[in-house]
Amino acid sequence: MHDLLPYIQGQLTQILGDMHYFGPEICLSLLFIVVLITDLLFGRNSEKLCRIVACGGVILVISKDILQLHLIGDHNIFLFSDMLLQNHISLIFRLIIDSSAFLLLLYFAWDEPLASHTKKLSDLYSISIAAILGLHLMTMAVNLLSVYLAIEMVSIASYLLVAYRSENAFSTEAGLKYVLFGAAASAIMLYGISLLYGFTGTLSLFDPNFVAGLIQVNAAGTTFALILVLVGIGFKLSFVPLHFWVPDVYEGAPTPITAFLSTVPKIAAFGLVLNFLTPFLISPQWKAFDFGLYLSVIGIITMIAGNFAAVMQNNVKRMLAYSSIGHTGFALMAIVTFTSQGITALAYYLAVYVIANIGALMLVTYFTKITGSEDVNTYKGLGLKYPAASICFIIILISLTGLPVTAGFTGKLLVFSAVYSVYQANHNIWLLLLTITGALTTVVSLFYYIKIPLNLFLKRTENTAEPIAQSAYILVFAVIISIILVLLGIFPNWLIKFL
């Protein structure tokens, strides 16, 4: 017993010291409790109050993120017995997540079908805060146990968000599909983790024994275990062949939830991929599994499958679902470079993609209220009746396509530049194929994105009904998002220097 006391005291001292670098996550934990108690105390009248508390709390978390950026600098700090890693890039990803989450929390109340739900939105805010905490942990996880727990935390919250409108059969079906696919991916990943632990005797990715132990194992066994773990991470990234759940879930979920699922979990998953790959990339002896080859093949197939499938869609949410799959494949190009230039390009690309995708889905909500449908063909002739929203929609779609002079163009240019720089150095044929595929699928994306402006402005309708009053909040934020995308396209250094 006396021998244990110094050990326990040492552990407690270390934990208290690590708390200094865990400020944003502590704030999120407290925020979750406060929002939950607010809901319990005020019942059905708590919706607006919960919204104010949640949004105010997220602003506080953003300020904590910025303080942590100055505190950490360029250092890598391991927390809680090497369970989590605090560094600059993970903080950048968390800052993007929290900024996007703030906008999404506001957006929840602007979607009429979701806001009119009998349960109201109080529970939605507490679930979202829990999901954001899980996303934070995903970007920091460097132990296979913390990786699994973070993914499960986000997954459970996501299941609840998708099926929140339980009276809607389509939403319930989407939630069920998401749970089934998620449970399968989780079980496969857990099996892979158990194999890796069996091979190495450690769960810590940065433990020297982890990579060293895998080097001693048969390459086929190591490859099998790593693929199983990547299945769990790939479920969150929704790259091919783990994308089957995306179209049905995105279409069936309430539009703000679709905006949530298609943006912030992807950022956290990319942060997790970087953490997972780093121990293997910094080990000169590692030869058993070529991550560059596997991720290049996945990226090429994902870009092709996502963009070509989107061409055949008329439902706008389903189109944007396949589009998000294509964007995942494109972002994998930056990962495959395994350079700081590539990581900066990835962070920029994800930041502008998130802004544009949330803006696009906000405008889907805007026009769905007008037409009563999510079919792009119902948008005919609405461009002249709702010019401000329609022009914003076009600017956002131009950015998603990656055309000048928007931030999307700069993001794609940075990714292409990072990939081509590495290709010039090592002449890897897969990097060349990635670049060619990325360029061709960008052209393909024009064919489905153009459907929206084509119907808004170039096709006429016999409907002479008067314009319907719409949410001024959505329009204001759509205008702000459009201006941001154009400004970042003209002055990209504003964001690049920060990253």
Side-chain angles (χ1 to χ4, degrees):
M1 184 65 181
H2 292 293
D3 293 335
L4 284 174
L5 285 175
Y7 173 77
I8 294 171
Q9 288 174 346
Q11 288 295 310
L12 288 173
T13 302
Q14 182 186 357
I15 290 169
L16 290 173
D18 290 344
M19 286 292 188
H20 185 53
Y21 301 101
F22 203 60
E25 291 69 38
I26 293 171
C27 286
L28 280 170
S29 303
L30 294 174
L31 180 61
F32 171 74
I33 295 169
V34 171
V35 173
L36 198 61
I37 291 174
T38 303
D39 181 25
L40 292 172
L41 289 176
F42 295 94
R44 290 184 175 273
N45 300 319
S46 66
E47 182 179 339
K48 288 185 179 178
L49 191 57
C50 285
R51 187 183 184 204
I52 292 169
V53 171
C55 292
V58 170
I59 291 174
L60 177 62
V61 172
I62 291 170
S63 68
K64 290 285 185 181
D65 289 334
I66 295 170
L67 288 174
Q68 288 289 333
L69 271 174
H70 294 293
L71 181 65
I72 297 293
D74 294 327
H75 298 96
N76 294 319
I77 299 174
F78 289 92
L79 307 177
F80 310 121
S81 301
D82 296 345
M83 294 290 286
L84 303 173
L85 173 63
Q86 185 77 284
N87 60 15
H88 180 81
I89 188 63
S90 70
L91 275 165
I92 290 293
F93 279 13
R94 272 173 277 157
L95 197 53
I96 299 170
I97 288 169
D98 294 337
S99 302
S100 308
F102 173 74
L103 184 55
L104 289 164
L105 290 171
L106 292 174
Y107 176 25
F108 288 161
W110 301 339
D111 185 81
E112 196 171 284
L114 184 60
S116 60
H117 190 273
T118 53
K119 290 187 295 187
K120 301 301 181 182
L121 300 181
S122 301
D123 292 336
L124 201 64
Y125 294 122
S126 56
I127 295 168
S128 300
I129 298 299
I132 296 164
L133 175 58
L135 295 169
H136 272 233
L137 297 177
M138 278 178 66
T139 64
M140 303 168 71
V142 289
N143 182 292
L144 291 173
L145 180 60
S146 60
V147 167
Y148 180 75
L149 291 175
I151 289 178
E152 281 303 287
M153 188 173 180
V154 175
S155 295
I156 292 169
S158 300
Y159 304 152
L160 295 171
L161 291 173
V162 170
Y164 193 76
R165 288 177 59 199
S166 53
E167 85 292 349
N168 184 305
F170 200 15
S171 181
T172 305
E173 181 187 347
L176 181 60
K177 286 181 179 178
Y178 194 19
V179 169
L180 292 175
F181 277 108
S186 177
I188 291 169
M189 181 183 185
L190 194 57
Y191 183 44
I193 288 173
S194 68
L195 289 175
L196 291 177
Y197 179 68
F199 293 155
T200 63
T202 179
L203 291 170
S204 177
L205 294 172
F206 283 84
D207 186 329
N209 294 324
F210 182 75
V211 175
L214 288 178
I215 291 172
Q216 305 302 318
V217 179
N218 180 278
T222 302
T223 299
F224 180 64
L226 289 172
I227 288 174
L228 293 182
V229 174
L230 287 173
V231 164
I233 300 173
F235 175 74
K236 284 296 167 202
L237 283 174
S238 64
F239 56 58
V240 176
L242 301 165
H243 69 295
F244 292 109
W245 61 275
V246 172
D248 289 340
V249 171
Y250 282 21
E251 184 182 357
T255 307
I257 305 305
T258 301
F260 185 96
L261 294 176
S262 64
T263 52
V264 286
K266 285 184 184 290
I267 300 169
F270 274 111
L272 180 55
V273 168
L274 290 174
N275 290 342
F276 186 75
L277 295 180
T278 301
F280 299 99
L281 299 177
I282 62 178
S283 174
Q285 292 84 24
W286 178 254
K287 305 291 181 185
F289 187 87
D290 189 345
F291 285 101
L293 171 62
Y294 280 85
L295 293 178
S296 296
V297 172
I298 289 170
I300 290 168
I301 297 172
T302 302
M303 281 189 280
I304 293 171
N307 284 286
F308 277 92
V311 173
M312 298 181 284
Q313 309 303 317
N314 285 321
N315 182 289
V316 183
K317 282 171 70 175
R318 203 171 180 87
M319 182 194 301
L320 290 173
Y322 280 110
S323 161
S324 76
I325 295 169
H327 281 285
T328 296
F330 193 89
L332 281 172
M333 290 174 60
I335 291 275
V336 171
T337 62
F338 305 131
T339 62
S340 58
Q341 183 186 0
I343 293 172
T344 302
L346 174 67
Y348 185 96
Y349 184 80
L350 289 176
V352 297
Y353 162 73
V354 165
I355 295 169
N357 209 56
I358 292 174
L361 285 162
M362 278 186 173
L363 289 168
V364 169
T365 294
Y366 187 93
F367 284 105
T368 298
K369 185 180 178 183
I370 296 167
T371 63
S373 170
E374 292 166 354
D375 193 302
V376 70
N377 294 312
T378 61
Y379 288 9
K380 290 179 181 178
L382 294 179
L384 298 177
K385 290 184 179 180
Y386 306 92
S390 300
I391 291 169
C392 289
F393 213 158
I394 291 172
I395 292 170
I396 289 167
L397 292 173
I398 287 172
S399 183
L400 284 171
T401 308
L403 298 178
V405 289
T406 58
F409 171 76
T410 307
K412 290 203 170 186
L413 184 63
L414 288 172
V415 173
F416 280 130
S417 299
V419 174
Y420 190 69
S421 296
V422 178
Y423 171 73
Q424 283 186 312
N426 60 21
H427 297 286
N428 186 322
I429 186 64
W430 288 105
L431 293 176
L432 180 61
L433 290 174
L434 274 170
T435 306
I436 294 169
T437 307
L440 291 176
T441 51
T442 297
V443 175
V444 171
S445 68
L446 280 169
F447 287 91
Y448 58 85
Y449 284 134
I450 205 171
K451 288 181 183 180
I452 294 174
L454 182 69
N455 280 284
L456 285 173
F457 287 103
L458 299 181
K459 290 190 177 181
R460 295 288 179 264
T461 179
E462 296 178 0
N463 185 2
T464 57
E466 290 297 316
I468 300 171
Q470 284 297 300
S471 169
Y473 295 113
I474 287 182
L475 186 57
V476 167
F477 270 83
V479 171
I480 292 171
I481 287 170
S482 302
I483 291 170
I484 289 171
L485 291 173
V486 172
L487 287 176
L488 288 178
I490 299 171
F491 307 104
N493 282 340
W494 290 355
L495 184 57
I496 292 171
K497 285 180 180 178
F498 177 74
L499 297 175

